[in-house]
Amino acid sequence: MLEELRPTDRRAALVVEHLSKRFGDRVAFEDVSFEVGYGEVFGFLGPNGAGKTTTVRALGTLIAPTSGAASVAGIPLSAANGPAIRARISIMPESPGLYQRLTIAENLRCFAGLYELDDIPGRIERALKAVNLLDRAGDSCGSLSKGLRQRVALARALLNDPAVLFLDEPTSGLDPVATHDVHELIVSLRERGVTIFLTTHRLTEAERLCHRVAILNSTMRLLGRPDELRERLFKQSLGVRVRDPIEDPGPVFGDLPGVDGWRMSASGCYELAVSDAQIAAPALARALVDAGADILSLAESHHSLEDVYLQLIDEDVEAIRR
Amino acid sequence: MSFSWTRVKALLVKELHDYRRNRFVVVFAMTMLPLIFITAPTVQLLTAPAVVSSSKLDARIGLALLYMLLIPATVPSTLAAYSVIGEREQGTLEPILSTPIRREEFLIGKALAVAMPTLVVAYAIFGIFLAITALFANPVIESAIFAGSHIPVQLAFTPLLAGWSIWVGIAISARSSDIRTAQQLSVFANLPPVAIVALMGFNVITPSTGLTLSLAAVLLALDALGWRAVAAMFDRERLIVGRRR
């Protein structure tokens, strides 16, 4: 029975050490290492073909890694432990994969049986309540919109109260309203302390939902909290807009405390790289007033996760070119 | 982790619900096809002359019963050929394989889901055929069918042929890249046992007790080994990513 195998590694929900997967000569992902704590929402970002889905499949014991080690929900990753691992996790693939001729309740009943769950009616009710579909249980899945199908797939993934919930591109192909609904559901799961491994290439999604993110492009490129990644890749900067261009900005910006450099952006703003914005901003305002410039705005520039992502992917493209 | 009949049952119930709402299965495989198979043998026997030589009578009965055996030999192959590749094409294979289900449980569940309606239909059609024979056929024909070994042979060979047909169909389904190819190949793969039964029906091969028992034993062995062979061919990774390791 499933209960025969107890988790041996309680450090984290996921521990991945130097995991690699190759299909013949093609590398899907290589030397990937990370840990995901219980209750954490972990974003796994990367461009198409970066190996995100393959990583999920490997951790879900659907495919065998070529090398490396991992433990999933405290159980060492191996083919023999596959059924026990799959009993403790849920994977929501990019495509909902529902039986179109069956009703929502029949779809969920089938999966509850496959997980050998007790109190199946109660579990189905709770899962449907979590995705706000309790009143649609008798509807045929073939009659649902794409957004509703995605919610049914999420309900299915919640049936077994998974120790780790893998969401593979959960908002792919959804309209903004349906995307918002799925985001709200993920937020509610995060508040309930569900461990979520979220693969996406929607960076705002990751920034909004995830405690930490990893950027994968066949190899692991970066791992940390979104704000940490921004700080690691980008210097602090100030953005200034003035009514008319400054005739000779060099002397104005050059001697300011805390300013390391400056450039004019394509939009006509001045961007100043600073070591400490708290010191540089007041000094900059005074210098601009002294230079007779009319200040329209002066603000600290914020780099989004998208900037971080694009910077890394650009580096990879450059490296390939070289 | 041990084999779980609970998971097999969950899959079986799902399959039966799905069949019930699948127009192709209900209308064609379970209704039209059996109707086609019962019409020809019934006509064969009801139109037989009152006085007929023993060899001609045997040929007529053999041909009629051959039609009956074509149901378990052909009907399940179409459904079985759909079983794995059909799940893959509708995007449900990955979610189902992401559950704790073992491949043996998956295959047994799929096989039972094909076997149950097949056997129900095959035996029901045979029952109707016997009823028509008893009520309307020439007494000579009636006694030849009811007094001989035809009925036990028919009852025994129906599940044996269905088993062969199902495992071959599932094996092909697990290795095919599209449904149409899988269904065509499984029909071809079912030709050998159908051919042997046909040769016996037409007395090209004399259906002695020994030969019948030998054929039954071979089919039984193939059925018993079938699910193990298909389980060995069932490669979860290949089915998910569409390529070999």
Side-chain angles (χ1 to χ4, degrees):
Chain A
M1 295 301 291
L2 291 173
E3 288 67 28
E4 287 166 8
L5 192 60
R6 297 281 177 204
T8 54
D9 188 341
R10 295 182 185 278
R11 278 182 293 164
L14 283 173
V15 180
V16 178
E17 291 165 341
H18 308 292
L19 206 66
S20 299
K21 176 64 186 176
R22 287 172 171 271
F23 295 107
D25 294 336
R26 191 177 77 76
V27 176
F29 61 85
E30 192 158 45
D31 199 24
V32 170
S33 301
F34 60 84
E35 286 192 12
V36 178
Y38 283 103
E40 185 177 7
V41 179
F42 187 80
F44 209 50
L45 313 179
N48 292 331
K52 303 186 296 293
T53 298
T54 308
T55 307
V56 169
R57 286 169 172 168
L59 295 175
T61 72
L62 291 172
I63 62 174
T66 311
S67 61
S71 84
V72 182
I75 301 171
L77 182 68
S78 69
N81 291 342
I85 289 173
R86 293 196 298 274
R88 286 181 168 79
I89 64 169
S90 271
I91 300 176
M92 180 181 151
E94 186 176 343
S95 162
L98 303 173
Y99 294 101
Q100 306 286 314
R101 283 186 286 267
L102 302 190
T103 65
I104 294 175
E106 285 169 342
N107 265 279
L108 297 188
R109 207 170 295 130
C110 168
F111 278 79
L114 293 173
Y115 281 105
E116 294 189 285
L117 301 176
D118 52 7
D119 182 26
I120 289 176
R123 281 181 184 264
I124 291 175
E125 190 181 324
R126 285 194 293 278
L128 288 178
K129 203 180 266 182
V131 299
N132 302 318
L133 281 178
L134 196 52
D135 56 335
R136 306 286 298 268
D139 288 9
S140 162
C141 286
S143 68
L144 302 177
S145 67
K146 194 167 182 189
L148 288 182
R149 282 181 205 169
Q150 209 72 350
R151 277 157 67 175
V152 176
L154 193 52
R156 182 182 64 197
L158 295 174
L159 276 174
N160 62 330
D161 292 328
V164 186
L165 174 59
F166 291 90
L167 303 177
D168 191 6
E169 307 276 4
T171 56
S172 173
L174 296 187
D175 65 36
V177 175
T179 299
H180 179 262
D181 287 349
V182 172
H183 284 174
E184 290 302 307
L185 290 170
I186 294 171
V187 168
S188 71
L189 293 175
R190 186 177 67 179
E191 284 164 2
R192 280 167 50 188
V194 177
T195 307
I196 297 174
F197 187 92
L198 172 74
T199 78
T200 183
H201 50 236
R202 292 193 182 201
L203 302 160
T204 48
E205 182 170 280
E207 194 152 27
R208 181 182 164 203
L209 300 171
C210 301
H211 296 111
R212 284 190 308 145
V213 296
I215 297 178
L216 180 79
N217 198 6
S218 292
T219 57
M220 196 76 135
R221 299 290 283 110
L222 215 53
L223 171 67
R225 290 198 316 272
D227 56 336
E228 277 178 355
L229 301 187
R230 279 193 293 267
E231 282 170 22
R232 212 180 299 171
L233 276 189
F234 297 104
K235 295 192 74 160
Q236 275 189 297
S237 64
L238 294 171
V240 183
R241 284 183 67 221
V242 291
R243 188 185 303 278
D244 301 309
I246 303 166
E247 274 185 23
D248 188 9
V252 178
F253 300 140
D255 296 330
L256 292 175
V259 174
D260 299 333
W262 66 275
R263 72 182 183 96
M264 194 168 186
S265 72
S267 60
C269 293
Y270 296 100
E271 282 182 12
L272 288 84
V274 298
S275 52
D276 189 339
Q278 301 285 324
I279 295 169
L284 174 61
R286 280 193 294 272
L288 287 168
V289 171
D290 290 347
D294 295 330
I295 303 170
L296 297 177
S297 69
L298 193 168
E300 196 172 349
S301 300
H302 286 280
H303 289 281
S304 66
L305 190 57
E306 188 167 351
D307 297 325
V308 174
Y309 179 87
L310 291 174
Q311 170 89 3
L312 282 174
I313 302 306
D314 282 350
E315 282 175 20
D316 287 352
V317 171
E318 280 301 313
I320 290 166
R321 276 196 196 131
R322 281 198 296 272
Chain B
M1 208 184 98
S2 55
F3 187 94
S4 163
W5 283 103
T6 307
R7 286 194 286 270
V8 173
K9 186 185 161 197
L11 186 63
L12 176 62
V13 170
K14 185 274 291 179
E15 290 285 312
L16 296 178
H17 278 142
D18 207 26
Y19 287 160
R20 215 176 56 199
R21 296 189 189 129
N22 185 334
R23 203 167 293 168
F24 170 79
V25 173
V26 173
V27 176
F28 184 71
M30 292 299 158
T31 313
M32 294 297 290
L33 218 53
L35 274 179
I36 294 166
F37 286 129
I38 197 169
T39 307
T42 308
V43 169
Q44 276 279 325
L45 294 189
L46 295 184
T47 57
V51 181
V52 64
S53 70
S54 157
S55 61
K56 282 188 176 171
L57 181 65
D58 281 348
R60 274 187 183 256
I61 292 173
L63 189 58
L65 294 177
L66 167 67
Y67 274 103
M68 294 288 114
L69 287 177
L70 284 177
I71 298 171
T74 56
V75 171
S77 69
T78 320
L79 296 176
Y82 182 82
S83 59
V84 181
I85 187 69
E87 293 266 6
R88 191 175 162 192
E89 289 207 353
Q90 65 179 343
T92 49
L93 190 62
E94 185 165 353
I96 211 160
L97 294 182
S98 301
T99 70
I101 196 165
R102 293 157 45 124
R103 61 183 171 184
E104 292 84 357
E105 295 160 353
F106 179 84
L107 294 170
I108 292 276
K110 287 284 182 184
L112 285 176
V114 179
M116 281 171 60
T118 300
L119 294 182
V120 167
V121 168
Y123 284 137
I125 295 289
F126 187 52
I128 293 167
F129 170 78
L130 290 179
I132 292 171
T133 306
L135 291 171
F136 305 111
N138 180 324
V140 178
I141 292 174
E142 184 203 341
S143 109
I145 287 179
F146 282 90
S149 58
H150 294 301
I151 293 175
V153 166
Q154 200 78 19
L155 293 177
F157 269 81
T158 295
L160 292 174
L161 279 171
W164 162 272
S165 179
I166 289 167
W167 289 126
V168 168
I170 293 179
I172 290 170
S173 188
R175 307 298 287 191
S176 292
S177 53
D178 71 274
I179 293 171
R180 194 176 291 265
T181 308
Q183 288 180 330
Q184 287 166 349
L185 284 175
S186 69
V187 168
F188 280 118
N190 281 306
L191 288 179
V194 172
I196 292 171
V197 175
L199 292 173
M200 288 168 72
F202 290 113
N203 279 333
V204 177
I205 299 173
T206 309
S208 64
T209 308
L211 181 65
T212 307
L213 288 175
S214 302
L215 188 56
V218 169
L219 277 172
L220 186 64
L222 287 174
D223 291 347
L225 292 173
W227 79 276
R228 290 202 174 274
V230 178
M233 291 165 67
F234 187 89
D235 183 343
R236 200 177 280 255
E237 178 164 332
R238 185 185 168 280
L239 287 166
I240 296 287
V241 297
R243 65 173 85 203
R244 289 184 178 87
R245 264 164 245 188

